[in-house]
Amino acid sequence: MNSAGTITGCLTAALACAFLSAPVAEANPVAAQQLPVSVPSIKQWQPGGDGEFALRDGARIVAGGALREPAALLAEDLTRAGRPVSVTSDAAAAGDIVLEENAAAPAPSESYRITSGDRLTITAHDTAGILHGTQTVLQWLRQRTTLPAGTADDWPDYSERGLMLDTGREFLPVDWVEARIRDAAYLRMNLVQLHLSDVQGFRLESRTHPEITSPQHYSAADLREILDYARSYGVEIIPEIDMPGHMNAILAQHPDLVLRPERTTPLDAVQADLVGGSNGGKIDLTDPAAYRLISDILHEFLPQFPGRYWHIGCDEYVSDYSRYPQLADYAVRTYGPGAAPGDVIIGFANWAADIVESFGKTPRVWNDGFDHPGVLSPKPELVVGYWSASAGGLPWLPGGRTPADFAAAGHPLLNAAFTPTYFTTGGPSAALNAPPELLWAWDPGLFVDGQRLPEAERSLLRGSMLFLWCDDPNALSPEQIVAPVRERLPIMAQQLWSGTGGISYPDFRSRTGAVGWP
């Protein structure tokens, strides 16, 4: 075993012990003899007598108004699964599936109720809950066409449950992206983050700066198709154009804006390998032209995404500021005496956040850019994806701001713990991929530094994602990536919806096999 493999093995064993001993969320899995299984498992099931629902030949999905689209999608999915149904707005009859928005339905956001009797009725107080209910029904009816009488009530533990796709490094075709959106929706997840720019490419079609658009990119029509598809299944797209680091593809056309160290070290090449590219990916934040370019990009693309969020990035910019004295000089000139070089990226994040907020969106960032504070503080509105405890080293080593530090300042948090939420297709970081069993043993409240938020601030933890990174875009083809993602995505969905308590990992693997994929 090589040294990286040795580190990985020891780390996995140590973390497994920690995670297996950590408290896990309680779940109330439905007994196998009562209902078909679902992934993630539903929260509550109350049997309702000796009757049953039977999906008969000629069955219909009854829905009106805004629910006609979810009804049509469910009809397509059931028909494709060999359970042909039609859609109508007529009165429901025995054997029909009914979709109803109802203000008296379970109140938590995304919650839903399924009542099984002579008909099968999905009720929720919002469309998100209806869509989640249709996916549970789809999973059940793919397994069998009869269901016992009773009532299921279901809701998620965490408000953010998602998948991140690194299409900046490896271009992922439109139909492939849509298939992963569909996978996420099938598991009642609600977010897909698209990492759209990095070392190997800028994947959006730019009119204001056409020189930065890579040959492999999403046209405006492609983007609309992806966004419309995601919306139809209740999945929100979070776009990320990573700045002020990881801008290689952009800066290849603007070499005059590259931040250059005044001294180099032998570690530069190692660092370049670990982050997937040369130090040319850092833009010089002391140059006013850098802000003009970034402003152009933000103003062009922010209106093209209808969701609530925009991810600025702010990761892996500078860890050793002594090599960049120009940043220290700029900080003092711009923010006054006492300012530190780390204030430059905090100032940048706040400046970019103002632009994002001017479009009615909430900015998101990675945590490690804020590990060198001075006189400035990041805006508390920034949603922080916490992936690394270290100020420039391995993500498990201490030295940076803790999750509790961010929570104390009012930041909502996404737990993006490098281990075990990351899967990297190739490159040095691939040796650190956690096995699915470790993701199962983990729980979303445990951050990469081994800490949890104080009880008073745990409401700031929104959830987590499975993060797909393509550090080596030639390591795995898009088709080869599907299997490891599908192995891990159901685990993340279970963790975030109802927890893993009361379910063994072998049992869960059996459940994922039973529900299959849409």
Side-chain angles (χ1 to χ4, degrees):
M1 180 180 290
N2 60 30
S3 58
T6 302
I7 293 172
T8 306
C10 294
L11 180 66
T12 298
L15 288 173
C17 291
F19 294 155
L20 285 168
S21 64
V24 296
E26 291 294 328
N28 182 19
V30 176
Q33 68 270 22
Q34 293 181 307
L35 278 174
V37 296
S38 62
V39 177
S41 57
I42 64 171
K43 288 285 184 59
Q44 294 180 356
W45 168 250
Q46 181 62 47
D50 297 329
E52 66 177 15
F53 168 80
L55 185 71
R56 300 183 177 92
D57 291 342
R60 307 169 303 166
I61 301 175
V62 180
L67 298 185
R68 294 278 293 185
E69 184 176 22
L73 292 173
L74 178 58
E76 291 173 9
D77 287 331
L78 282 171
T79 300
R80 189 165 48 249
R83 317 289 198 221
V85 295
S86 59
V87 177
T88 184
S89 56
D90 295 342
D96 286 343
I97 300 169
V98 183
L99 309 187
E100 292 181 345
E101 279 199 30
N102 185 345
S109 179
E110 302 186 81
S111 63
Y112 62 93
R113 172 173 291 162
I114 300 174
T115 305
S116 175
D118 66 338
R119 65 199 66 182
L120 193 66
T121 303
I122 305 171
T123 56
H125 78 285
D126 58 19
T127 304
I130 292 289
L131 285 165
H132 293 323
T134 64
Q135 299 312 296
T136 299
V137 165
L138 175 60
Q139 290 186 7
W140 286 349
L141 295 179
R142 280 169 57 97
Q143 295 170 72
R144 66 176 193 246
T145 57
T146 59
L147 302 171
T151 300
D153 283 306
D154 202 18
W155 64 93
D157 287 342
Y158 289 94
S159 63
E160 293 191 356
R161 309 172 308 281
L163 169 66
M164 194 219 75
L165 302 174
D166 179 8
T167 192
R169 292 185 177 90
E170 180 171 356
F171 182 73
L172 303 170
V174 172
D175 59 350
W176 192 95
V177 172
E178 290 178 347
R180 302 293 75 73
I181 291 170
R182 183 68 191 94
D183 287 350
Y186 190 57
L187 299 169
R188 308 201 291 279
M189 303 180 100
N190 57 4
L191 296 175
V192 168
Q193 181 172 322
L194 297 180
H195 185 80
L196 291 161
S197 175
D198 213 296
V199 176
Q200 285 81 4
F202 184 87
R203 304 304 184 186
L204 295 174
E205 181 181 27
S206 177
R207 298 184 307 276
T208 60
H209 287 279
E211 75 282 358
I212 70 174
T213 298
S214 299
Q216 286 186 305
H217 66 272
Y218 303 114
S219 68
D222 291 337
L223 181 58
R224 286 193 299 270
E225 180 181 335
I226 290 170
L227 292 170
D228 286 346
Y229 185 84
R231 178 202 55 77
S232 70
Y233 278 104
V235 173
E236 183 173 357
I237 298 296
I238 300 177
E240 179 191 358
I241 298 179
D242 206 347
M243 302 167 170
H246 294 271
M247 293 183 65
N248 306 63
I250 296 171
L251 293 177
Q253 306 304 319
H254 294 271
D256 53 314
L257 295 180
V258 173
L259 177 69
R260 304 186 187 281
E262 292 200 2
R263 65 178 177 84
T264 59
T265 74
L267 292 177
D268 286 344
V270 174
Q271 183 187 33
D273 286 340
L274 288 174
V275 302
S278 72
N279 288 329
K282 301 175 175 65
I283 199 167
D284 186 355
L285 291 178
T286 72
D287 190 332
Y291 295 87
R292 290 193 294 269
L293 174 61
I294 291 173
S295 179
D296 287 348
I297 294 170
L298 291 176
H299 280 85
E300 177 176 7
F301 291 110
L302 274 160
Q304 297 186 31
F305 290 86
R308 296 167 292 169
Y309 302 110
W310 183 275
H311 204 297
I312 300 167
C314 294
D315 61 311
E316 295 179 321
Y317 184 58
V318 171
S319 57
D320 182 0
Y321 279 96
S322 69
R323 300 173 55 225
Y324 300 90
Q326 66 269 43
L327 294 175
D329 294 341
Y330 176 85
V332 171
R333 292 197 314 271
T334 306
Y335 304 117
D343 285 318
V344 176
I345 195 167
I346 296 176
F348 165 79
N350 290 342
W351 169 83
D354 286 342
I355 297 175
V356 171
E357 290 173 333
S358 74
F359 285 85
K361 300 182 188 299
T362 299
R364 304 175 77 106
V365 293
W366 303 108
N367 71 287
D368 60 295
F370 309 112
D371 285 338
H372 304 271
V375 299
L376 299 183
S377 297
K379 296 183 69 168
E381 297 84 359
L382 291 167
V383 180
V384 176
Y386 197 95
W387 74 277
S388 175
S390 172
L394 291 173
W396 310 277
L397 300 179
R401 294 193 190 195
T402 68
D405 292 335
F406 285 105
H411 293 280
L413 288 153
L414 184 86
N415 191 347
F418 183 100
T419 298
T421 70
Y422 280 25
F423 178 80
T424 305
T425 60
S429 293
L432 301 175
N433 285 337
E437 292 84 351
L438 188 55
L439 182 59
W440 180 258
W442 175 73
D443 84 81
L446 189 64
F447 287 88
V448 70
D449 65 349
Q451 302 297 311
R452 300 175 184 273
L453 292 180
E455 183 65 35
E457 291 160 341
R458 287 184 184 174
S459 62
L460 289 168
L461 177 56
R462 292 188 171 181
S464 187
M465 293 184 183
L466 177 68
F467 295 88
L468 168 68
W469 295 105
C470 303
D471 288 8
D472 179 356
N474 301 309
L476 296 176
S477 69
E479 292 73 22
Q480 291 171 318
I481 293 171
V482 174
V485 168
R486 282 186 162 181
E487 191 174 22
R488 291 163 172 81
L489 195 62
I491 301 173
M492 182 60 80
Q494 180 70 40
Q495 288 280 19
L496 297 169
W497 187 276
S498 50
T500 59
I503 309 172
S504 70
Y505 183 60
D507 179 26
F508 184 75
R509 291 292 301 272
S510 175
R511 294 181 186 206
T512 60
V515 303
W517 294 98

